[in-house]
Amino acid sequence: MPFQSFIDYLLLEKNYSKLTVKAYENDLSNFLIFNAAQFDQEGIEDANYSQIRSWIVEMVEKEISNRSINRKVSALNTYYKFLLKIGEIEANPLAKHKALKTSKKIQIPFSEAEIAIVLDELNFQEDFQGLRDKLIIELFYSTGIRRIELVKLELKDVDVSNKTLKVLGKRNKERFVPLLQSVIQTITKYQEARNQLEVIKDKDHLFLTQKGVKIYETLVYRIINEYFSLASTKVKKSPHILRHSFATHLLNQGADLNAVKELLGHSSLAATQVYTHNSIAELKKVYLNTHPRSKKK
C-alpha cells in the first residue's frame, strides 16, 4: 500500500519525528476526504492538478492562512514525489505548482538589556525549581537550543569537564555546543538540588518536574513566558525568541554565519540567514556612525 510505505519512508529513511509524520498524515487525509466528497475518488494517487486546485480554493474560502495551505500542499507534493520515486505514478501533478504568497513574519528578539534583567536582576530561588528555571533560560540563551531538544536532554549529554553539551537535533543529528563557565556553575547547583528530590522516575533526563518526571514542552514555554513578562513588553515571549536572540546577538558581535549555523544545528545557511536582518540593522548603525562621509559624523 503506497500510503503506508510513504509513512515508513518518512519515519525510517527521512528520520522525521512522529509528530511531523502525524502532521503529514493529517494533511493527506484532509485531501483524501475532500477528493472523495468532490470527485468520488477513493484514493489520491490518480488525482490531477485541477482537483488539487479545487482543494486549495476551498481552503482559501474557509480563510485558512496561506502559510497553512502551503504546508498542506507541500505534504501532498512530498507524497507524489515518493510515488514517482517508487514508480507508482508517471508524473507529479504538483510539479509546476507555485506556493501562495505569504507575508514574512519578523521575529523580534529580546534585547541584551532584557536578557540581563532576567538573568542578573530577577531573584531566582536557590531551590530545585528556581535553579531549574534559571538553567533552562541560561541554556536557551547561551546555546540556541530548540525547545524539544532541551526537553530531551539527558544527564549524560552534559560534559562538565570539557564544558560541552551534546544536543540531539532534527533527524537525530548530533551536535556539540560549548558551555559558558557561568552555565556550568548553574548546572552543578541544579544537579545537587535535583538529587534531593524525593522521587525521581525519569532518572536519565536532565530536566524534571518536582514530581520527578521529565519536563514537558508546554511547561518550558510557560517558564520562559512567565520570567520574560517581568522584563519585556514584547508580544511574543517564547523559547524560540530566546533562540532567535542567541543567534542575533552573536551575529551583532561579529560571529561568522557558518559558525552560528553549526551552533543552531541548521542544515543550510538559508535557515540561518533569517536571523541576519537584525545584524544588518546593527551594521548600518555602525556604518553611519563611523564612515568619514556620513552626515552623523
Side-chain angles (χ1 to χ4, degrees):
M1 185 179 177
F3 186 77
Q4 187 54 51
S5 298
F6 175 63
I7 298 303
D8 293 339
Y9 165 75
L10 294 180
L11 285 169
L12 304 175
E13 288 193 41
K14 301 295 285 184
N15 286 323
Y16 284 0
S17 69
K18 290 182 179 179
L19 199 64
T20 300
V21 173
K22 187 64 180 175
Y24 271 80
E25 284 188 83
N26 290 338
D27 292 337
L28 293 179
S29 295
N30 286 344
F31 180 57
L32 182 68
I33 293 167
F34 170 84
N35 206 41
Q38 296 296 321
F39 300 101
D40 196 27
Q41 201 172 48
E42 287 187 7
I44 57 176
E45 290 75 22
D46 297 323
N48 57 44
Y49 184 68
S50 178
Q51 291 166 254
I52 299 169
R53 182 70 183 168
S54 297
W55 181 47
I56 294 171
V57 169
E58 184 190 72
M59 288 191 285
V60 170
E61 289 175 347
K62 287 182 177 179
E63 298 185 353
I64 295 173
S65 71
N66 286 5
R67 194 176 298 275
S68 294
I69 293 172
N70 285 341
R71 192 204 70 238
K72 292 174 183 294
V73 175
S74 176
L76 189 60
N77 190 30
T78 303
Y79 181 54
Y80 285 129
K81 284 181 179 178
F82 170 75
L83 294 179
L84 198 61
K85 182 180 179 180
I86 63 173
E88 286 287 330
I89 58 175
E90 294 182 1
N92 180 354
L94 281 165
K96 295 183 179 180
H97 172 74
K98 290 184 179 180
L100 301 180
K101 289 184 179 180
T102 57
S103 57
K104 289 186 177 180
K105 290 184 178 179
I106 297 177
Q107 301 281 6
I108 302 173
F110 296 119
S111 67
E112 292 182 37
E114 288 171 331
I115 301 284
I117 289 172
V118 173
L119 290 177
D120 301 332
E121 297 182 22
L122 296 184
N123 291 319
F124 290 88
Q125 297 296 314
E126 288 288 311
D127 57 9
F128 168 78
Q129 186 173 319
L131 290 167
R132 180 201 64 191
D133 293 355
K134 185 179 183 183
L135 179 56
I136 285 172
I137 295 168
E138 286 189 336
L139 278 181
F140 275 132
Y141 182 58
S142 64
T143 68
I145 196 171
R146 297 179 178 94
R147 177 168 46 163
I148 186 61
E149 292 171 344
L150 180 133
V151 168
K152 289 182 176 180
L153 284 176
E154 297 187 353
L155 290 170
K156 62 181 175 61
D157 295 327
V158 181
D159 188 339
V160 173
S161 59
N162 289 314
K163 297 181 181 179
T164 58
L165 181 72
K166 185 175 77 173
V167 181
L168 189 63
K170 289 184 176 181
R171 303 181 191 180
N172 294 322
K173 184 180 177 183
E174 288 184 357
R175 69 182 186 277
F176 290 87
V177 183
L179 292 172
L180 299 172
Q181 183 57 39
S182 58
V183 179
I184 293 289
Q185 291 171 357
T186 307
I187 287 173
T188 303
K189 288 182 179 180
Y190 164 70
Q191 288 185 328
E192 289 173 359
R194 180 186 179 282
N195 291 337
Q196 298 304 313
L197 288 174
E198 290 184 11
V199 178
I200 299 180
K201 295 179 180 178
D202 293 316
K203 299 182 186 298
D204 295 335
H205 283 80
L206 176 62
F207 287 110
L208 305 174
T209 68
Q210 288 193 298
K211 293 182 179 179
V213 297
K214 67 180 180 179
I215 205 166
Y216 47 96
E217 288 191 63
T218 51
L219 176 56
V220 174
Y221 182 93
R222 202 157 63 234
I223 288 168
I224 299 305
N225 191 58
E226 181 182 325
Y227 282 100
F228 277 88
S229 292
L230 301 173
S232 175
T233 57
K234 289 181 175 61
V235 175
K236 192 169 184 182
K237 296 175 279 287
S238 67
H240 183 73
I241 297 299
L242 265 177
R243 175 173 163 86
H244 187 52
S245 305
F246 163 80
T248 301
H249 295 172
L250 282 180
L251 290 167
N252 283 348
Q253 294 297 323
D256 177 69
L257 190 63
N258 273 301
V260 176
K261 166 184 168 290
E262 294 301 318
L263 289 169
L264 291 171
H266 284 157
S267 56
S268 70
L269 271 179
T272 314
Q273 284 170 334
V274 300
Y275 300 110
T276 61
H277 72 276
N278 294 94
S279 306
I280 290 169
E282 190 68 21
L283 283 173
K284 283 181 179 177
K285 190 191 302 180
V286 172
Y287 175 80
L288 290 173
N289 287 331
T290 58
H291 194 281
R293 301 287 291 179
S294 171
K295 290 180 181 180
K296 290 187 178 181
K297 285 281 288 182

